[in-house]
Amino acid sequence: MVVLRGDERRLLGGAMAEAAGGDPADRERTAAKALRAPLLISVVLCPQDHPKVPRWEQLAATVCAVQTLILLLHERGWGSIWRTGALADAPPVRRVLGLAGTEQSLGWLYIGTSDARRPPAPRPPGDGRAKLSSLLAPVGPGA
């Protein structure tokens, strides 16, 4: 993980704008994205060749570590959101973050205080049971 504060966020924003291209107004909007929170943590996967731990498992462990960090931040009263996108692993962004050839940027944790005036976004209703299956449960219509 790479921690970005203060003007480091401006460097990242500049790299994001360079990668995005477009007209000057588009580049300015893109650069400003890195300034939306006072602290950014760049999530970086650093895969290692290992006979017992495949790359997918290393990725899964990295994602779990980030989710745990998000939960810990929220427990301590901080707001955070994990942002990704096409710019996360773009060459100018990789250069600013100092990533090695096999490393992969997985986006950023934006960390700050939550805006209490802004209500949470509505969530669509859902039934988690619809996503579960069982080896012994009947499957198909009328089951």
Side-chain angles (χ1 to χ4, degrees):
M1 293 190 193
V2 179
V3 176
L4 300 147
R5 296 181 177 98
D7 287 337
E8 295 168 329
R9 297 171 305 139
R10 292 187 193 287
L11 290 173
L12 175 63
M16 292 167 67
E18 178 186 342
D23 64 49
D26 286 340
R27 288 194 302 273
E28 190 174 321
R29 275 191 299 278
T30 300
K33 290 179 180 183
L35 303 175
R36 291 178 177 169
L39 175 65
L40 274 68
I41 296 179
S42 186
V43 179
V44 179
L45 172 65
C46 305
Q48 305 292 315
D49 287 332
H50 193 283
K52 294 184 178 181
V53 186
R55 188 178 194 283
W56 72 262
E57 191 173 336
Q58 294 175 51
L59 173 61
T62 302
V63 170
C64 288
V66 173
Q67 180 61 28
T68 300
L69 178 56
I70 290 170
L71 293 171
L72 290 169
L73 286 164
H74 283 262
E75 179 185 359
R76 295 293 186 164
W78 295 99
S80 65
I81 186 171
W82 190 352
R83 302 299 248 171
T84 64
L87 301 178
D89 206 43
V93 172
R94 293 179 59 79
R95 195 168 44 252
V96 164
L97 296 175
L99 300 186
T102 60
E103 295 175 329
Q104 180 182 0
S105 171
L106 302 177
W108 302 274
L109 280 184
Y110 284 70
I111 302 167
T113 54
S114 297
D115 186 351
R117 299 168 297 172
R118 189 174 180 179
R123 303 246 181 221
D127 182 1
R129 294 174 293 184
K131 306 273 185 199
L132 299 175
S133 65
S134 171
L135 291 177
L136 302 177
V139 179

